[in-house]
Amino acid sequence: MDSLFSPSLQHWLDLAGIFVFAISGALLAVRRNFDVFGIAVLAEVTGLGGGLFRDVVIGAVPPAAFTDLGYFLTPLLSAFLVFFLHPEVERINKAVSVFDAAGLGLFCVTGTLKGHEYGLSLTSSVVMGLATAAGGGVLRDVLANEVPSLLRWDREVYAVPAIVGSSAVALLIHLDQVRPSTTVGAALLAFLLRLLALRYNWRAPRAWHRRSATVDAQATKGGATREPENGGRQVGGG
């Protein structure tokens, strides 16, 4: 990583990604009517969770979040802004989603590179890239007592762009083509895929011949099982 970007640039990019991720955590805390401490905790977990998990797994200890005060304070800044300005932040939610997508692209790339630097195989490095990008969001949803967005069919695909970006980095490593321009290209690839998913409501496919939630609810209320008219095929979203 140091050979690609200056330590100062890496640091500010990390803080930017942490900031926008933490905003999503703080907003969820407000929607769930958490108090100020809950808002701060959810912001911290969402902003730092993926990086903490990565560093602990690969042995990069103590994690940067515990050695650099800026990493700890940035989510608190997000929590402070959302606590006082959450109606305004909600109004610019689309802009926040764009920055969140940028953070996704950045973190899946840096997570993959750092995993490989610490001796992981290419496949494991891809998994580490995904964990870095999505780990904070999973912890956020678990603490808020929600099914993680990463696993929900009714949310736009999140894991797929991160996997694509991480896989692109792994391919660059395999081909010995890791350069600032190529790694930025991998981050942009994940970023654009996420934006397209948001724009066109792309969903990951569910199980083959899975009946719709509406049919399941009707069958439960009626006490009987009724096959959908289309023969059970999934309609849309796949």
Side-chain angles (χ1 to χ4, degrees):
M1 287 288 294
D2 289 342
S3 63
L4 293 174
F5 307 105
S6 68
S8 176
L9 179 58
Q10 290 180 47
H11 180 75
W12 285 108
L13 288 174
D14 280 347
L15 292 183
I18 289 169
F19 179 78
V20 294
F21 280 168
I23 282 180
S24 72
L27 284 173
L28 178 59
V30 170
R31 295 186 192 114
R32 298 301 300 269
N33 204 30
F34 286 11
D35 64 15
V36 62
F37 181 74
I39 294 171
V41 168
L42 225 58
E44 290 281 354
V45 166
T46 310
L48 302 177
L52 281 172
F53 176 80
R54 175 201 62 209
D55 289 348
V56 169
V57 169
I58 66 179
V61 292
F66 291 102
T67 58
D68 189 323
L69 189 60
Y71 283 81
F72 179 78
L73 293 179
T74 298
L76 292 182
L77 175 60
S78 299
F80 176 84
L81 291 175
V82 170
F83 182 81
F84 289 103
L85 302 173
H86 60 88
E88 287 74 15
V89 176
E90 290 278 11
R91 289 193 201 102
I92 61 169
N93 199 40
K94 286 186 178 180
V96 173
S97 297
V98 172
F99 286 111
D100 181 82
L104 173 78
L106 170 67
F107 280 10
C108 73
V109 168
T110 57
T112 305
L113 288 171
K114 192 166 184 178
H116 188 261
E117 285 178 2
Y118 276 77
L120 296 184
S121 67
L122 291 179
T123 301
S124 297
S125 296
V126 170
V127 174
M128 198 53 57
L130 171 61
T132 305
V138 172
L139 292 174
R140 171 201 66 205
D141 292 342
V142 169
L143 287 177
N145 197 29
E146 292 194 353
V147 176
S149 300
L150 194 70
L151 307 178
R152 290 178 59 174
W153 177 83
D154 61 335
R155 300 290 178 88
E156 298 85 359
V157 289
Y158 197 89
V160 173
I163 292 172
V164 170
S166 298
S167 299
V169 175
L171 180 61
L172 292 174
I173 295 172
H174 178 71
L175 298 175
D176 195 24
Q177 294 297 317
V178 178
R179 312 275 191 276
S181 59
T182 55
T183 51
V184 168
L188 283 174
L189 177 61
F191 171 65
L192 292 174
L193 282 175
R194 176 58 180 161
L195 287 186
L196 289 171
L198 290 169
R199 173 65 179 82
Y200 296 106
N201 295 317
W202 288 349
R203 306 284 195 270
R206 296 193 295 174
W208 184 244
H209 284 193
R210 175 72 171 88
R211 292 175 299 164
S212 70
T214 302
V215 173
D216 287 343
Q218 290 174 347
T220 301
K221 290 180 180 179
T225 301
R226 182 172 61 87
E227 290 298 324
E229 294 178 0
N230 66 351
R233 285 191 176 86
Q234 178 183 329
V235 179

